Amino acid sequence: MGENQTSVTEFILLGFPLGLRVQLLLFGLFSLFYTFTLLVNGAILGVISLDPRWHTPMYFFLSHLAIVDIAYACNTVPQMLVNLLSPTMPISFPGCLTQTFLFLTFAHTECLLLVVMSYDRYVAICHPLRYSAILSWRLCITLAITSWACGSLVVLVHVSLILRLPFCGPHEINHFFCELLSVLRLACADTWLNQVVILAASLLVLVGPFCLVLVSYTHIFFAVLKIQSREGRRKAFSTCSSHLCVVGLFFGSALVIYMAPKSSHPEEQQKVLFLFHSIFNPMLNPLIYSLRGTELKSALRRALCKESHCQLE
């Protein structure tokens, strides 16, 4: 279909229909969260890249998670901040599809990275003597590239199916960004194929990886129980606690968004859940990993001190 019958050239993102004072308050609050997200994730990337002691598979995958969190925030938050100040500011049709593509790509990639990180913890605890042999750098790089590639390829299917649909009616999206389901509600044709593909993709990229994480942690749990000393068990559990918190936050909200039955106010509730995904999740992830210990903070401090000494010399 050459022209795909799309007469709508731009959309209006309704965002949060609140009073002016509340919108200005949200603008300041979300700007603060956005800045904090970029700074904390950027600090983690800096620590991992500057300190050779952090050049391990676990922190290699954590650096990719930090990149995804930064990209998450940069894809949705700036547009949301613009809309809080100028609610009628339109977004072009290509720009809207690009935002949809990027958001879903980062979401799928983070999902797959969390599975890879759970495999890393499984090997570290269940096969510690073979850790370096199993998780070679070649395998780590392959797993990271595969996560990014699979995340984007699945989303290409969604975008190509959207391009087949005609958009000829309303152009107001009841969301703060071009979320897939909200865009589909504006299509002037039956979207059953899109819905089937969304369900299949949710099972493939969401439920499947979540089950793999559960399998990994089931093996980890029984392996930790076999450790004789309480201190050994505590250390083993502490290495997984931060990842488990991140997994719970990500998969919990994602499963509610795409797999839970629709309620009486689905769109408003989904906006809150996506707000958690876009702002709070990327901000909380680095904080959760930092709480695992003071190593990250001390490493960043040492790196900054080194840099200041070099400048003085």
Side-chain angles (χ1 to χ4, degrees):
M1 298 177 67
E3 295 296 323
N4 78 18
Q5 301 177 18
T6 302
S7 58
V8 173
T9 58
E10 58 185 28
F11 295 107
I12 299 293
L13 296 169
L14 297 181
F16 301 97
L18 303 168
L20 179 60
R21 289 185 178 181
V22 179
Q23 287 184 329
L24 290 176
L25 176 64
L26 289 179
F27 178 85
L29 197 62
F30 292 160
S31 297
L32 183 64
F33 290 159
Y34 178 56
T35 304
F36 186 76
T37 298
L38 298 184
L39 288 176
V40 176
N41 282 287
I44 283 187
L45 283 175
V47 165
I48 294 173
S49 61
L50 292 173
D51 197 328
R53 287 180 297 176
W54 301 99
H55 295 172
T56 63
M58 174 182 174
Y59 290 100
F60 171 75
F61 295 128
L62 180 58
S63 67
H64 279 268
L65 187 64
I67 292 171
V68 169
D69 286 336
I70 290 173
Y72 243 139
C74 291
N75 182 48
T76 56
V77 179
Q79 181 69 46
M80 180 178 63
L81 294 177
V82 169
N83 280 15
L84 285 172
L85 295 181
S86 302
T88 58
M89 179 74 71
I91 181 172
S92 66
F93 186 82
C96 189
L97 285 188
T98 300
Q99 193 179 52
T100 303
F101 172 80
L102 292 176
F103 180 85
L104 290 175
T105 296
F106 300 142
H108 292 169
T109 302
E110 179 168 354
C111 187
L112 297 174
L113 282 174
L114 290 175
V115 176
V116 171
M117 293 173 78
S118 70
Y119 177 68
D120 167 79
R121 292 299 83 204
Y122 161 75
V123 176
I125 293 176
C126 298
H127 304 285
L129 299 178
R130 299 176 54 209
Y131 181 79
S132 299
I134 295 174
L135 278 174
S136 63
W137 278 112
R138 182 176 181 180
L139 178 61
C140 291
I141 294 171
T142 302
L143 290 173
I145 293 174
T146 302
S147 298
W148 284 96
C150 290
S152 56
L153 287 174
V154 172
V155 182
L156 279 175
V157 178
H158 292 305
V159 174
S160 61
L161 289 176
I162 291 178
L163 289 172
R164 295 174 60 254
L165 297 172
F167 289 86
C168 51
H171 64 287
E172 293 182 338
I173 298 176
N174 188 17
H175 221 293
F176 61 87
F177 78 104
C178 291
E179 190 270 326
L180 178 62
L181 296 176
S182 298
V183 173
L184 287 178
R185 292 189 184 100
L186 302 184
C188 302
D190 191 1
T191 60
W192 70 269
L193 181 58
N194 301 75
Q195 301 290 344
V196 170
V197 172
I198 290 172
L199 179 60
S202 299
L203 294 172
L204 180 66
V205 187
L206 191 60
V207 177
F210 182 64
C211 292
L212 290 177
V213 171
L214 291 180
V215 169
S216 295
Y217 274 101
T218 300
H219 286 287
I220 289 171
F221 179 75
F222 286 111
V224 171
L225 289 181
K226 293 178 182 178
I227 299 175
Q228 299 297 324
S229 65
R230 289 182 61 183
E231 183 64 19
R233 287 197 296 270
R234 188 191 66 78
K235 286 183 178 179
F237 275 125
S238 68
T239 62
C240 302
S241 58
S242 54
H243 181 254
L244 271 175
C245 290
V246 172
V247 165
L249 288 172
F250 179 84
F251 283 100
S253 54
L255 287 170
V256 170
I257 290 171
Y258 287 105
M259 303 300 293
K262 298 192 180 298
S263 59
S264 55
H265 303 287
E267 292 186 9
E268 297 306 316
Q269 291 180 4
Q270 282 185 5
K271 277 195 276 189
V272 175
L273 288 170
F274 275 109
L275 186 65
F276 185 85
H277 251 305
S278 303
I279 294 184
F280 297 108
N281 229 18
M283 182 179 67
L284 290 174
N285 286 352
L287 290 178
I288 291 170
Y289 277 103
S290 297
L291 289 174
R292 179 179 169 269
T294 57
E295 315 94 75
L296 281 172
K297 300 173 192 174
S298 60
L300 179 60
R301 211 175 289 120
R302 285 195 301 270
L304 293 174
C305 288
K306 273 185 189 176
E307 190 173 335
S308 63
H309 284 314
C310 291
Q311 289 177 353
L312 289 173
E313 292 174 2

